[in-house]
Coordinates of all heavy atoms in Angstrom, one line a residue:
A297 N 45.2 -18.5 -83.0 CA 46.6 -18.1 -83.0 C 47.0 -17.7 -84.4 O 46.4 -18.2 -85.4 CB 47.4 -19.3 -82.5
I298 N 48.0 -16.9 -84.5 CA 48.6 -16.5 -85.8 C 50.0 -17.0 -85.8 O 50.8 -16.7 -84.9 CB 48.5 -15.0 -86.0 CG1 47.1 -14.6 -86.2 CG2 49.3 -14.6 -87.2 CD1 46.8 -13.1 -86.4
Y299 N 50.5 -17.7 -86.8 CA 51.8 -18.1 -87.0 C 52.4 -17.5 -88.2 O 51.8 -17.6 -89.3 CB 51.9 -19.6 -87.1 CG 51.5 -20.3 -85.8 CD1 50.2 -20.7 -85.6 CD2 52.4 -20.5 -84.8 CE1 49.8 -21.3 -84.4 CE2 52.0 -21.1 -83.6 CZ 50.7 -21.5 -83.4 OH 50.3 -22.1 -82.2
V300 N 53.5 -16.8 -88.1 CA 54.2 -16.1 -89.2 C 55.5 -16.7 -89.3 O 56.3 -17.0 -88.4 CB 54.3 -14.6 -88.9 CG1 55.1 -13.9 -89.9 CG2 52.9 -14.0 -88.7
D301 N 55.9 -17.0 -90.6 CA 57.2 -17.5 -90.9 C 58.3 -16.6 -90.3 O 58.2 -15.3 -90.4 CB 57.4 -17.5 -92.4 CG 58.7 -18.1 -92.9 OD1 59.8 -17.4 -92.8 OD2 58.7 -19.2 -93.3
P302 N 59.3 -17.2 -89.6 CA 60.3 -16.3 -89.0 C 60.9 -15.2 -89.8 O 61.2 -14.2 -89.4 CB 61.3 -17.3 -88.5 CG 60.5 -18.6 -88.3 CD 59.5 -18.6 -89.4
D303 N 61.1 -15.5 -91.1 CA 61.6 -14.5 -92.0 C 60.7 -13.3 -92.3 O 61.1 -12.3 -92.8 CB 62.0 -15.2 -93.4 CG 63.1 -16.2 -93.3 OD1 63.9 -16.0 -92.3 OD2 63.2 -17.0 -94.2
S304 N 59.4 -13.5 -91.9 CA 58.4 -12.4 -92.1 C 58.0 -11.7 -90.8 O 57.2 -10.8 -90.9 CB 57.2 -13.0 -92.8 OG 57.5 -13.6 -94.1
V305 N 58.7 -12.1 -89.7 CA 58.4 -11.4 -88.5 C 58.8 -10.0 -88.6 O 59.8 -9.6 -89.2 CB 59.1 -12.1 -87.3 CG1 59.0 -11.3 -86.0 CG2 58.5 -13.5 -87.1
R306 N 58.0 -9.1 -88.0 CA 58.2 -7.6 -88.0 C 58.2 -7.0 -89.4 O 58.8 -6.0 -89.6 CB 59.5 -7.3 -87.3 CG 59.6 -7.7 -85.9 CD 60.8 -7.1 -85.1 NE 60.8 -7.6 -83.8 CZ 60.2 -7.1 -82.7 NH1 59.4 -6.1 -82.9 NH2 60.3 -7.6 -81.5
T307 N 57.4 -7.6 -90.3 CA 57.2 -7.0 -91.6 C 55.8 -6.5 -91.8 O 55.4 -5.9 -92.8 CB 57.4 -8.1 -92.7 OG1 56.5 -9.1 -92.6 CG2 58.8 -8.6 -92.6
G308 N 54.9 -6.7 -90.8 CA 53.5 -6.3 -90.8 C 52.6 -7.4 -91.3 O 51.4 -7.2 -91.3
V309 N 53.1 -8.6 -91.6 CA 52.3 -9.7 -92.0 C 51.4 -10.1 -90.9 O 50.1 -10.4 -91.1 CB 53.2 -10.9 -92.5 CG1 52.3 -12.1 -92.8 CG2 53.9 -10.5 -93.8
G310 N 51.9 -10.3 -89.7 CA 51.1 -10.7 -88.6 C 50.0 -9.7 -88.3 O 48.8 -10.1 -88.0
R311 N 50.3 -8.4 -88.3 CA 49.3 -7.4 -88.0 C 48.2 -7.4 -89.1 O 47.0 -7.3 -88.8 CB 49.9 -6.0 -87.9 CG 48.9 -5.0 -87.4 CD 49.5 -3.7 -86.9 NE 50.3 -3.9 -85.7 CZ 49.8 -3.9 -84.5 NH1 48.5 -3.7 -84.3 NH2 50.5 -4.0 -83.4
A312 N 48.6 -7.7 -90.4 CA 47.6 -7.7 -91.4 C 46.7 -9.0 -91.3 O 45.5 -8.9 -91.5 CB 48.3 -7.8 -92.8
L313 N 47.3 -10.1 -90.9 CA 46.5 -11.3 -90.6 C 45.5 -11.0 -89.5 O 44.3 -11.4 -89.5 CB 47.4 -12.5 -90.3 CG 48.1 -13.1 -91.5 CD1 49.2 -14.1 -90.9 CD2 47.2 -13.8 -92.4
M314 N 46.0 -10.4 -88.4 CA 45.1 -10.1 -87.3 C 44.0 -9.2 -87.7 O 42.8 -9.3 -87.4 CB 45.9 -9.5 -86.1 CG 45.0 -9.2 -84.9 SD 44.1 -10.6 -84.2 CE 45.4 -11.4 -83.3
A315 N 44.3 -8.1 -88.4 CA 43.3 -7.1 -88.9 C 42.2 -7.9 -89.8 O 41.0 -7.6 -89.6 CB 44.0 -6.0 -89.7
A316 N 42.7 -8.7 -90.7 CA 41.7 -9.5 -91.5 C 40.9 -10.4 -90.6 O 39.7 -10.5 -90.9 CB 42.5 -10.3 -92.6
S317 N 41.5 -11.0 -89.6 CA 40.7 -11.9 -88.7 C 39.6 -11.2 -88.0 O 38.5 -11.6 -87.9 CB 41.6 -12.6 -87.8 OG 42.5 -13.4 -88.4
L318 N 40.0 -10.0 -87.4 CA 39.0 -9.2 -86.7 C 37.9 -8.7 -87.6 O 36.8 -8.7 -87.3 CB 39.8 -8.0 -86.1 CG 40.8 -8.4 -84.9 CD1 41.6 -7.2 -84.5 CD2 40.0 -9.0 -83.7
A319 N 38.3 -8.3 -88.8 CA 37.3 -7.8 -89.8 C 36.3 -8.9 -90.2 O 35.1 -8.6 -90.3 CB 38.0 -7.2 -91.0
T320 N 36.9 -10.1 -90.4 CA 36.0 -11.2 -90.8 C 35.0 -11.5 -89.6 O 33.8 -11.8 -89.9 CB 36.9 -12.4 -91.1 OG1 37.7 -12.1 -92.3 CG2 36.0 -13.6 -91.5
A321 N 35.5 -11.6 -88.4 CA 34.7 -11.9 -87.3 C 33.6 -10.8 -87.1 O 32.5 -11.2 -86.8 CB 35.6 -12.0 -86.0
R322 N 34.0 -9.6 -87.3 CA 33.0 -8.5 -87.1 C 31.9 -8.6 -88.2 O 30.7 -8.5 -88.0 CB 33.7 -7.1 -87.3 CG 34.3 -6.7 -86.0 CD 34.9 -5.2 -86.1 NE 35.6 -4.9 -84.9 CZ 36.9 -4.8 -84.8 NH1 37.7 -5.1 -85.8 NH2 37.4 -4.5 -83.6
A323 N 32.3 -8.9 -89.5 CA 31.4 -9.0 -90.6 C 30.5 -10.2 -90.4 O 29.3 -10.1 -90.8 CB 32.2 -9.2 -91.9
R324 N 30.9 -11.3 -89.7 CA 30.0 -12.4 -89.4 C 29.0 -12.1 -88.2 O 28.2 -12.8 -87.9 CB 30.8 -13.6 -88.9 CG 31.5 -14.3 -90.0 CD 32.0 -15.7 -89.5 NE 32.7 -15.6 -88.2 CZ 33.9 -16.0 -88.0 NH1 34.6 -16.6 -88.9 NH2 34.5 -15.9 -86.8
G325 N 29.3 -10.9 -87.6 CA 28.5 -10.5 -86.5 C 28.9 -11.1 -85.1 O 28.2 -11.0 -84.1
D326 N 30.2 -11.6 -85.1 CA 30.7 -12.1 -83.8 C 30.9 -10.9 -82.8 O 31.2 -9.8 -83.2 CB 32.1 -12.8 -84.0 CG 31.9 -14.1 -84.9 OD1 30.8 -14.6 -85.0 OD2 33.0 -14.5 -85.4
H327 N 30.7 -11.2 -81.6 CA 30.9 -10.2 -80.6 C 32.2 -10.2 -79.9 O 32.7 -9.2 -79.3 CB 29.8 -10.3 -79.5 CG 28.4 -10.2 -80.1 ND1 27.9 -8.9 -80.5 CD2 27.5 -11.1 -80.4 CE1 26.7 -9.1 -81.0 NE2 26.4 -10.4 -80.9
T328 N 32.9 -11.4 -79.9 CA 34.2 -11.6 -79.2 C 35.1 -12.5 -80.0 O 34.6 -13.4 -80.7 CB 34.0 -12.3 -77.8 OG1 33.0 -11.5 -77.1 CG2 35.2 -12.4 -77.0
L329 N 36.4 -12.2 -80.0 CA 37.4 -13.1 -80.6 C 38.2 -13.6 -79.5 O 38.6 -12.9 -78.6 CB 38.2 -12.3 -81.6 CG 39.2 -13.3 -82.4 CD1 39.0 -13.1 -83.9 CD2 40.6 -12.9 -82.0
T330 N 38.4 -14.9 -79.5 CA 39.1 -15.6 -78.4 C 40.2 -16.5 -79.0 O 40.0 -17.1 -80.0 CB 38.2 -16.5 -77.6 OG1 37.1 -15.8 -77.1 CG2 38.9 -17.2 -76.5
L331 N 41.4 -16.5 -78.4 CA 42.5 -17.4 -78.8 C 43.2 -17.9 -77.6 O 43.2 -17.2 -76.5 CB 43.4 -16.8 -79.8 CG 44.1 -15.5 -79.4 CD1 45.4 -15.8 -78.7 CD2 44.5 -14.7 -80.6
W332 N 43.9 -19.0 -77.7 CA 44.8 -19.5 -76.7 C 46.2 -19.4 -77.2 O 46.5 -19.6 -78.3 CB 44.4 -21.0 -76.5 CG 43.1 -21.2 -75.8 CD1 41.9 -21.3 -76.4 CD2 42.9 -21.2 -74.4 NE1 40.9 -21.4 -75.5 CE2 41.5 -21.4 -74.2 CE3 43.6 -21.2 -73.2 CZ2 40.8 -21.5 -73.0 CZ3 43.1 -21.3 -72.0 CH2 41.7 -21.4 -71.9
V333 N 47.1 -19.1 -76.2 CA 48.6 -19.0 -76.6 C 49.3 -19.7 -75.5 O 49.0 -19.6 -74.3 CB 49.0 -17.5 -76.8 CG1 48.7 -16.7 -75.5 CG2 50.4 -17.4 -77.2
V334 N 50.5 -20.3 -75.8 CA 51.4 -20.9 -74.8 C 51.8 -19.8 -73.8 O 52.2 -18.7 -74.2 CB 52.6 -21.6 -75.5 CG1 53.5 -22.1 -74.4 CG2 52.1 -22.7 -76.4
D335 N 51.7 -20.1 -72.6 CA 51.9 -19.1 -71.5 C 53.3 -18.5 -71.5 O 53.6 -17.4 -71.2 CB 51.6 -19.5 -70.1 CG 52.4 -20.7 -69.6 OD1 53.1 -21.3 -70.4 OD2 52.3 -21.0 -68.4
T336 N 54.3 -19.3 -72.0 CA 55.7 -18.8 -72.0 C 56.1 -18.1 -73.3 O 57.2 -17.6 -73.5 CB 56.7 -20.0 -71.8 OG1 56.4 -21.0 -72.8 CG2 56.5 -20.6 -70.4
N337 N 55.2 -18.0 -74.3 CA 55.4 -17.3 -75.5 C 55.2 -15.8 -75.4 O 54.2 -15.3 -75.8 CB 54.6 -17.9 -76.6 CG 55.0 -17.5 -78.0 OD1 55.7 -16.4 -78.1 ND2 54.5 -18.1 -79.0
S338 N 56.2 -15.2 -74.8 CA 56.1 -13.8 -74.5 C 56.0 -12.9 -75.7 O 55.4 -11.9 -75.8 CB 57.3 -13.3 -73.6 OG 58.5 -13.5 -74.2
V339 N 56.7 -13.3 -76.8 CA 56.6 -12.5 -78.1 C 55.2 -12.5 -78.6 O 54.7 -11.5 -79.0 CB 57.6 -13.1 -79.1 CG1 57.4 -12.5 -80.5 CG2 59.0 -13.0 -78.7
A340 N 54.6 -13.7 -78.7 CA 53.2 -13.8 -79.2 C 52.2 -13.0 -78.2 O 51.3 -12.3 -78.7 CB 52.7 -15.2 -79.3
R341 N 52.4 -13.1 -76.9 CA 51.6 -12.5 -76.0 C 51.6 -11.0 -76.1 O 50.6 -10.3 -76.1 CB 51.9 -12.9 -74.6 CG 51.5 -14.4 -74.3 CD 51.8 -14.8 -72.9 NE 50.8 -14.2 -72.0 CZ 50.7 -14.6 -70.7 NH1 51.4 -15.5 -70.2 NH2 49.8 -14.0 -70.0
R342 N 52.8 -10.4 -76.3 CA 53.0 -9.0 -76.5 C 52.3 -8.6 -77.8 O 51.7 -7.5 -77.9 CB 54.5 -8.6 -76.5 CG 55.1 -8.5 -75.1 CD 56.4 -7.8 -75.1 NE 57.4 -8.4 -76.0 CZ 58.2 -9.4 -75.7 NH1 58.2 -9.9 -74.5 NH2 59.1 -9.9 -76.6
F343 N 52.5 -9.4 -78.8 CA 51.8 -9.1 -80.1 C 50.3 -9.0 -80.0 O 49.7 -8.0 -80.4 CB 52.2 -10.1 -81.2 CG 51.4 -10.0 -82.4 CD1 51.6 -9.1 -83.4 CD2 50.3 -10.9 -82.7 CE1 50.9 -8.9 -84.5 CE2 49.5 -10.8 -83.8 CZ 49.8 -9.8 -84.7
Y344 N 49.7 -10.0 -79.3 CA 48.3 -10.0 -79.2 C 47.8 -8.8 -78.3 O 46.8 -8.2 -78.6 CB 47.8 -11.3 -78.5 CG 48.0 -12.5 -79.4 CD1 48.6 -13.7 -78.9 CD2 47.6 -12.5 -80.8 CE1 48.8 -14.8 -79.8 CE2 47.8 -13.6 -81.6 CZ 48.4 -14.7 -81.1 OH 48.6 -15.8 -81.9
E345 N 48.6 -8.5 -77.3 CA 48.3 -7.3 -76.5 C 48.3 -6.0 -77.3 O 47.5 -5.1 -77.1 CB 49.1 -7.3 -75.2 CG 48.8 -8.4 -74.3 CD 49.8 -8.7 -73.2 OE1 50.8 -7.9 -73.1 OE2 49.7 -9.6 -72.4
R346 N 49.3 -5.9 -78.1 CA 49.4 -4.7 -79.0 C 48.2 -4.6 -79.9 O 47.8 -3.5 -80.4 CB 50.7 -4.7 -79.8 CG 51.9 -4.3 -78.9 CD 53.1 -4.0 -79.8 NE 53.5 -5.0 -80.8 CZ 54.3 -6.0 -80.5 NH1 54.9 -6.2 -79.4 NH2 54.5 -6.9 -81.4
C347 N 47.6 -5.8 -80.3 CA 46.5 -5.8 -81.1 C 45.2 -5.6 -80.4 O 44.1 -5.6 -81.0 CB 46.4 -7.1 -81.9 SG 47.8 -7.3 -83.1
G348 N 45.3 -5.4 -79.1 CA 44.1 -5.1 -78.3 C 43.5 -6.3 -77.6 O 42.5 -6.1 -76.8
L349 N 44.0 -7.5 -77.7 CA 43.6 -8.6 -76.9 C 44.1 -8.6 -75.5 O 45.2 -8.0 -75.3 CB 43.9 -9.9 -77.6 CG 43.2 -10.3 -78.9 CD1 43.9 -9.7 -80.1 CD2 42.9 -11.8 -79.0
R350 N 43.3 -9.1 -74.6 CA 43.8 -9.2 -73.2 C 43.6 -10.5 -72.6 O 42.6 -11.2 -72.9 CB 42.9 -8.2 -72.4 CG 43.1 -6.7 -72.8 CD 44.5 -6.2 -72.5 NE 44.7 -4.8 -73.0 CZ 45.5 -4.6 -74.0 NH1 46.1 -5.5 -74.7 NH2 45.6 -3.3 -74.4
W351 N 44.6 -10.9 -71.8 CA 44.4 -12.2 -71.1 C 43.3 -12.1 -70.1 O 43.2 -11.1 -69.3 CB 45.7 -12.5 -70.3 CG 45.7 -13.7 -69.5 CD1 45.1 -14.9 -69.8 CD2 46.2 -13.9 -68.1 NE1 45.3 -15.9 -68.8 CE2 45.9 -15.2 -67.8 CE3 46.8 -13.1 -67.3 CZ2 46.3 -15.8 -66.5 CZ3 47.2 -13.6 -66.0 CH2 46.9 -14.9 -65.7
D352 N 42.3 -13.0 -70.1 CA 41.1 -12.9 -69.3 C 41.3 -13.7 -68.0 O 40.3 -13.8 -67.3 CB 39.9 -13.4 -70.1 CG 39.9 -14.9 -70.3 OD1 40.8 -15.6 -69.9 OD2 38.9 -15.3 -71.0
G353 N 42.5 -14.2 -67.7 CA 42.7 -14.9 -66.4 C 42.6 -16.4 -66.5 O 42.9 -17.1 -65.6
S354 N 42.1 -16.9 -67.6 CA 41.9 -18.3 -67.8 C 43.2 -19.0 -68.3 O 43.9 -18.4 -69.1 CB 40.7 -18.6 -68.8 OG 39.5 -18.1 -68.3
S355 N 43.4 -20.2 -67.9 CA 44.5 -21.0 -68.4 C 44.1 -22.4 -68.4 O 43.1 -22.9 -67.8 CB 45.8 -20.8 -67.5 OG 45.5 -21.2 -66.2
K356 N 44.9 -23.2 -69.1 CA 44.6 -24.7 -69.2 C 45.9 -25.4 -69.5 O 46.8 -24.9 -70.1 CB 43.5 -25.0 -70.3 CG 44.0 -24.8 -71.7 CD 42.9 -25.1 -72.7 CE 43.3 -24.8 -74.1 NZ 42.3 -25.1 -75.1
L357 N 45.9 -26.7 -69.0 CA 47.1 -27.5 -69.3 C 46.7 -28.4 -70.5 O 45.6 -29.1 -70.5 CB 47.4 -28.4 -68.1 CG 48.5 -29.5 -68.3 CD1 49.8 -28.8 -68.6 CD2 48.6 -30.4 -67.1
V358 N 47.5 -28.4 -71.6 CA 47.3 -29.2 -72.8 C 48.3 -30.3 -72.7 O 49.5 -30.1 -72.6 CB 47.5 -28.3 -74.1 CG1 47.3 -29.2 -75.3 CG2 46.5 -27.1 -74.1
Q359 N 47.8 -31.5 -72.8 CA 48.6 -32.7 -72.7 C 48.6 -33.4 -74.0 O 47.6 -33.7 -74.6 CB 48.2 -33.6 -71.6 CG 48.3 -33.0 -70.2 CD 48.0 -33.9 -69.1 OE1 47.1 -34.7 -69.2 NE2 48.8 -33.8 -68.0
R360 N 49.8 -33.7 -74.5 CA 50.0 -34.4 -75.7 C 50.8 -35.7 -75.3 O 51.3 -35.8 -74.2 CB 50.8 -33.6 -76.7 CG 50.2 -32.3 -77.1 CD 49.0 -32.6 -78.0 NE 48.4 -31.3 -78.6 CZ 47.2 -30.9 -78.3 NH1 46.4 -31.5 -77.5 NH2 46.8 -29.7 -78.8
P361 N 50.9 -36.7 -76.3 CA 51.6 -37.9 -75.9 C 53.0 -37.7 -75.4 O 53.5 -38.5 -74.5 CB 51.6 -38.7 -77.2 CG 50.4 -38.2 -77.9 CD 50.3 -36.7 -77.6
T362 N 53.7 -36.7 -76.0 CA 55.2 -36.6 -75.6 C 55.5 -35.3 -74.8 O 56.6 -35.1 -74.5 CB 56.0 -36.6 -76.8 OG1 55.6 -35.6 -77.8 CG2 55.9 -38.0 -77.5
Y363 N 54.5 -34.5 -74.6 CA 54.8 -33.2 -73.8 C 53.4 -32.6 -73.3 O 52.4 -33.0 -73.7 CB 55.5 -32.2 -74.7 CG 54.6 -31.7 -75.9 CD1 53.9 -30.5 -75.8 CD2 54.6 -32.4 -77.1 CE1 53.1 -30.1 -76.8 CE2 53.9 -31.9 -78.2 CZ 53.1 -30.8 -78.0 OH 52.3 -30.3 -79.0
S364 N 53.6 -31.6 -72.5 CA 52.4 -30.9 -72.0 C 52.8 -29.4 -72.0 O 54.0 -29.1 -71.9 CB 51.9 -31.3 -70.6 OG 53.0 -31.1 -69.7
M365 N 51.8 -28.5 -72.1 CA 52.1 -27.1 -72.1 C 50.9 -26.4 -71.5 O 49.8 -26.9 -71.5 CB 52.4 -26.6 -73.5 CG 51.2 -26.7 -74.4 SD 51.6 -26.3 -76.1 CE 50.3 -26.9 -77.0
N366 N 51.2 -25.2 -70.9 CA 50.2 -24.4 -70.3 C 49.8 -23.3 -71.4 O 50.7 -22.8 -72.0 CB 50.6 -23.7 -69.0 CG 50.8 -24.7 -67.9 OD1 49.8 -25.4 -67.6 ND2 51.9 -24.8 -67.3
E367 N 48.5 -23.1 -71.5 CA 48.1 -22.1 -72.4 C 47.2 -21.1 -71.6 O 46.6 -21.5 -70.6 CB 47.3 -22.6 -73.6 CG 48.1 -23.5 -74.5 CD 47.2 -24.0 -75.7 OE1 46.0 -24.1 -75.6 OE2 47.8 -24.2 -76.8
V368 N 47.2 -19.8 -72.1 CA 46.4 -18.8 -71.5 C 45.4 -18.3 -72.6 O 45.7 -18.3 -73.7 CB 47.2 -17.7 -70.8 CG1 48.0 -18.2 -69.7 CG2 48.2 -17.0 -71.9
R369 N 44.2 -17.8 -72.1 CA 43.2 -17.4 -73.1 C 43.2 -15.9 -73.2 O 43.2 -15.1 -72.2 CB 41.8 -17.8 -72.6 CG 40.7 -17.6 -73.6 CD 39.4 -18.2 -73.3 NE 38.9 -17.7 -72.0 CZ 37.9 -18.3 -71.3 NH1 37.4 -19.4 -71.8 NH2 37.5 -17.8 -70.2
Y370 N 43.2 -15.4 -74.4 CA 43.2 -14.0 -74.7 C 41.9 -13.7 -75.4 O 41.4 -14.5 -76.2 CB 44.3 -13.6 -75.6 CG 45.6 -13.2 -74.9 CD1 46.3 -14.2 -74.2 CD2 46.0 -11.9 -74.8 CE1 47.4 -13.8 -73.5 CE2 47.1 -11.6 -74.1 CZ 47.8 -12.5 -73.4 OH 49.0 -12.2 -72.7
R371 N 41.3 -12.5 -75.2 CA 40.0 -12.1 -75.8 C 40.0 -10.7 -76.2 O 40.7 -9.9 -75.6 CB 38.9 -12.3 -74.8 CG 38.6 -13.8 -74.6 CD 37.4 -13.9 -73.7 NE 36.9 -15.3 -73.7 CZ 35.8 -15.8 -73.3 NH1 34.9 -14.9 -72.7 NH2 35.5 -17.0 -73.4
I372 N 39.2 -10.3 -77.1 CA 38.9 -9.0 -77.5 C 37.4 -8.8 -77.8 O 36.8 -9.7 -78.5 CB 39.8 -8.5 -78.7 CG1 39.6 -7.0 -78.9 CG2 39.5 -9.3 -79.9 CD1 40.5 -6.4 -79.9
A373 N 36.8 -7.8 -77.3 CA 35.4 -7.5 -77.6 C 35.4 -6.8 -79.0 O 36.2 -5.9 -79.1 CB 34.8 -6.6 -76.6
L374 N 34.6 -7.3 -79.9 CA 34.7 -6.7 -81.3 C 33.9 -5.5 -81.4 O 34.4 -4.5 -82.0 CB 34.2 -7.8 -82.2 CG 35.1 -9.0 -82.3 CD1 34.6 -10.1 -83.2 CD2 36.6 -8.7 -82.7
G375 N 32.7 -5.4 -80.9 CA 32.0 -4.2 -81.0 C 31.9 -3.7 -82.4 O 31.9 -4.5 -83.4
E376 N 31.9 -2.4 -82.6 CA 31.8 -1.8 -83.8 C 33.2 -1.6 -84.4 O 34.2 -1.3 -83.7 CB 31.1 -0.4 -83.7 CG 30.7 0.2 -84.9 CD 29.9 1.5 -84.6 OE1 28.7 1.3 -84.2 OE2 30.4 2.5 -84.8
A377 N 33.3 -1.8 -85.7 CA 34.6 -1.6 -86.4 C 35.0 -0.1 -86.2 O 34.2 0.8 -86.3 CB 34.5 -1.9 -87.9
P378 N 36.3 0.1 -86.0 CA 36.8 1.5 -85.9 C 36.3 2.4 -87.1 O 36.4 1.9 -88.3 CB 38.3 1.4 -85.9 CG 38.6 0.0 -85.4 CD 37.4 -0.8 -86.0
G379 N 35.8 3.5 -86.8 CA 35.3 4.4 -87.9 C 34.0 4.1 -88.4 O 33.4 4.8 -89.3
G380 N 33.4 3.0 -87.8 CA 32.0 2.7 -88.3 C 30.9 3.4 -87.5 O 31.2 4.2 -86.7
K381 N 29.7 3.1 -87.9 CA 28.6 3.8 -87.3 C 27.9 2.9 -86.3 O 27.9 1.7 -86.5 CB 27.5 4.3 -88.3 CG 28.1 5.4 -89.1 CD 27.0 5.9 -90.0 CE 27.4 7.2 -90.7 NZ 26.4 7.8 -91.5

């Protein structure tokens, strides 16, 4: 997950963090990047979708001592970096 200070939303910081995360994962040789997001967080879900991640149909209930929440799993196949060989 990526968390951006509310004052920095829509400034490109989140997209830069995501680009750096994807580049780091590719450089390590990872084939897939996976993250979980609260199912009702439509802003975050749209952001991840704009970055190329897709909900893979998986979900889970996360229980904490004082609350519970549903999360959904997003994934992206990393493959080759754009413009790479």
Side-chain angles (χ1 to χ4, degrees):
I298 292 178
Y299 295 92
V300 174
D301 183 282
D303 292 338
S304 297
V305 170
R306 298 192 185 276
T307 65
V309 170
R311 188 162 293 275
L313 287 169
M314 179 59 78
S317 297
L318 294 170
T320 298
R322 284 186 181 103
R324 285 193 314 232
D326 295 341
H327 300 285
T328 306
L329 184 126
T330 303
L331 61 82
W332 291 88
V333 61
V334 177
D335 65 347
T336 57
N337 189 342
S338 58
V339 172
R341 291 181 72 170
R342 280 193 306 272
F343 169 77
Y344 294 133
E345 289 167 5
R346 283 193 308 270
C347 291
L349 286 92
R350 297 292 174 254
W351 177 43
D352 70 2
S354 296
S355 62
K356 67 180 177 181
L357 177 64
V358 177
Q359 295 185 322
R360 301 288 187 244
T362 57
Y363 66 93
S364 62
M365 62 186 167
N366 289 307
E367 293 184 335
V368 293
R369 185 170 63 191
Y370 274 69
R371 289 185 168 192
I372 186 171
L374 297 175
E376 194 173 285
K381 290 185 176 184

